[in-house]
Structures are given as C-alpha cells and as structure tokens.
Amino acid sequence: MNNHFISKFVKYFLYGFIAIAFINIIFNIMQINLINDYYVKNLYSLYVFEALADKNDARKGIISIPYALFLFSSFFIIGRWLFVSAKINHLSGVKNLEISPGWSVGWYFIPFASLWMPYKSLKETFKASFYNEDWQDIKVPYYFPIWWSTWIIGNFISNGYLRYDVSMGDDYSFDQLITLSYLDIATDTFYIANAFALLKIIQIIYENQKDKKF
C-alpha cells in the first residue's frame, strides 16, 4: 500500500470538478443575463426569448450530467484517499492516533457528528503524516479551516437550493429564477474554494507519505 496513485487520481479528479463547476457558473451567469435582458430590458420578443431559454436549458442539462457524476463519485474517490492516508499513518506506527482509517470516512455519514469529526479526522491524518514524536503539537495551515468551512457552507446552500427548487413546482417567476441561479453560483463558488483548499492538504500529505510502502 502507498499513496502514489490515489493521491494523483484525486488531484486530477478535483481539477476536473473545478472545471465543471466553473462552466456551470458561466451558464448560470448567462441565464441571469438572458432573464434580465427579457424581463427588465425588453430586448427580445417572447419567441426569441423562449428559443434562447431552451438553448440555455439544454446547456445546463448537459453540464448537469458530469456535475452529478463528479459529486456522486467524490464520496468513493476522496473517501478512498482519506482511508489510505489514515491507514498509512497507522501502519507506520504513529502513536496516539485516535481515529481509525474506517472512521476517517465513516464520520461523514453520521448525523451531527459529520459537522466536526471529519475535520478532526483529516487534521489528525495531516499532523501524523509528518512522523514527528510531537506531531500532535503541529499547527494546521490556514487552508484547513477554509476547506471545512467552504464544505459546510456549500452544502448548506446546496440544500437550500434543492428545497427552494422543489417548493417552486414547474412554474418559476422572474425573481425565483434569478434566486435559483445565484444560489447555484454561490454553491459552486464555495465548492471550488473547497477543492483548491483540499488540493493543498492532499499535496502536503502526499509529500509526507510518498516514501511509505506497505
């Protein structure tokens, strides 16, 4: 066991997700501009607006497929990296580890505990990867709280988006469409920041563990 392949795979995976999320932001901005051009500026006839709206819906429909696949597969891919990284620390004989490799993933699925235990788990994995006797005294860098806060906030906004979308039914007003677009943009912005912060964490743990093989 080593972290070479899974670390590189996760990094490419995160870059791919960042690209997809960025494209989704662009499509939402285009949707906001289109709605404003029709409802506020009266630049289009109803026929032209509906044709442009159909094209925009098609674009968003296409991007939603890889977007959903990235989100779904992230639980398995990033979860595997979390497990391997924690396992290497345990196999290396690091003392006073509190969280098992299995629970480094499992805490994400436990209600309420998922709000802080995954952060504690990855912080332990990060500190222990330096393999110092006083590893518990190592301070985590600034992008650790950025990683976790953007994850929590991004998920909170995403859940708000889904609830708001379901409550609207099939008919959307001008204000509702604008609100949904901004919520989607906010979600992707936090997820992109989260991915960049996680990339920094992954790189350091990878460098610390790259010579470990079991």
Side-chain angles (χ1 to χ4, degrees):
M1 174 183 287
N2 60 59
N3 71 347
H4 296 182
F5 175 78
I6 188 62
S7 294
K8 291 181 179 179
F9 188 79
V10 169
K11 285 191 285 186
Y12 287 128
F13 176 85
L14 288 172
Y15 283 126
F17 175 73
I18 289 169
I20 293 294
F22 183 73
I23 293 171
N24 196 49
I25 288 175
I26 293 175
F27 287 170
N28 274 294
I29 292 173
M30 293 172 65
Q31 178 168 279
I32 291 170
N33 290 336
L34 176 61
I35 293 170
N36 280 320
D37 287 344
Y38 177 72
Y39 285 100
V40 179
K41 299 179 182 178
N42 296 315
L43 295 181
Y44 307 116
S45 66
L46 178 60
Y47 175 79
V48 173
F49 171 73
E50 288 179 342
L52 293 174
D54 287 342
K55 290 182 180 180
N56 188 75
D57 290 342
R59 286 192 294 264
K60 286 182 64 64
I62 291 172
I63 201 67
S64 67
I65 297 173
Y67 190 97
L69 288 175
F70 266 93
L71 284 180
F72 178 75
S73 58
S74 67
F75 292 104
F76 301 96
I77 296 171
I78 298 176
R80 178 61 182 171
W81 176 81
L82 291 168
F83 177 86
V84 170
S85 299
K87 186 70 173 180
I88 288 174
N89 285 340
H90 281 265
L91 292 175
S92 298
V94 178
K95 297 180 180 180
N96 301 317
L97 292 171
E98 297 179 356
I99 300 173
S100 70
W103 278 110
S104 68
V105 180
W107 282 122
Y108 283 85
F109 304 97
I110 306 300
F112 301 111
S114 62
L115 294 175
W116 75 87
M117 287 303 296
Y119 178 83
K120 180 180 179 181
S121 174
L122 186 54
K123 185 167 68 172
E124 180 180 272
T125 299
F126 178 87
K127 290 182 175 183
S129 72
F130 286 88
Y131 304 110
N132 296 334
E133 290 186 2
D134 58 346
W135 64 267
Q136 291 167 306
D137 296 327
I138 295 174
K139 293 184 178 181
V140 295
Y142 68 91
Y143 37 82
F144 247 88
I146 291 176
W147 160 69
W148 193 241
S149 61
T150 52
W151 172 252
I152 296 295
I153 297 171
N155 284 335
F156 179 79
I157 298 174
S158 178
N159 288 333
Y161 172 92
L162 292 174
R163 290 175 181 274
Y164 189 70
D165 188 25
V166 170
S167 68
M168 294 301 101
D170 296 327
D171 296 323
Y172 299 94
S173 68
F174 164 79
D175 290 334
Q176 289 166 346
L177 283 171
I178 293 293
T179 299
L180 283 171
S181 296
Y182 278 120
L183 286 173
D184 208 12
I185 289 171
T187 299
D188 286 331
T189 300
F190 279 104
Y191 280 167
I192 288 172
N194 174 265
F196 276 118
L198 183 57
L199 280 167
K200 295 282 288 183
I201 295 169
I202 289 171
Q203 183 60 34
I204 292 176
I205 294 177
Y206 168 73
E207 290 295 333
N208 291 342
Q209 294 183 336
K210 65 182 180 181
D211 294 328
K212 302 288 183 178
K213 295 182 180 181
F214 300 94

